[in-house]
Amino acid sequence: MSAICPECDSVLDIDEDEVDLDDELTCSECGSLLAIASLSPLELEAVDEDDLDDEDDEDDDEDDDDEDSDEDDDVDDDDDDD
């Protein structure tokens, strides 16, 4: 089945049996990051890459918090050994 790139209006040939809602792909013509917005009819939407960067930053912050907690646990363990 075909879908239209929302960024450059190119017709993209996509096998709808191989994609699911919210799957991401790249336009072969303009290189835009796209997501499956609808399966019937097959529609694409542009993914805001700035939002992806923000989500990555949030994930990194959560990982840092986890590491801090681990470090605190290590300090407590050191005190018990004395």
Side-chain angles (χ1 to χ4, degrees):
M1 174 160 261
S2 297
I4 306 292
C5 173
E7 296 293 311
C8 68
D9 295 328
S10 295
V11 177
L12 304 176
D13 185 32
I14 300 171
D15 186 353
E16 63 184 290
D17 294 331
E18 294 185 9
V19 295
D20 291 317
L21 195 61
D22 295 327
D23 279 358
E24 293 180 351
L25 52 99
T26 303
C27 175
S28 57
E29 294 296 317
C30 68
S32 294
L33 184 60
L34 307 171
I36 305 294
S38 170
L39 294 173
S40 182
L42 187 59
E43 293 180 354
L44 304 172
E45 66 182 2
V47 174
D48 187 1
E49 294 184 23
D50 291 337
D51 287 345
L52 293 178
D53 292 340
D54 292 343
E55 290 175 9
D56 289 344
D57 291 344
E58 289 173 8
D59 290 343
D60 290 344
D61 290 344
E62 291 173 6
D63 291 343
D64 291 345
D65 291 343
D66 292 343
E67 290 173 8
D68 291 342
S69 297
D70 292 343
E71 290 173 7
D72 292 342
D73 292 343
D74 291 343
V75 171
D76 292 340
D77 291 342
D78 291 341
D79 292 340
D80 293 340
D81 292 339
D82 290 334

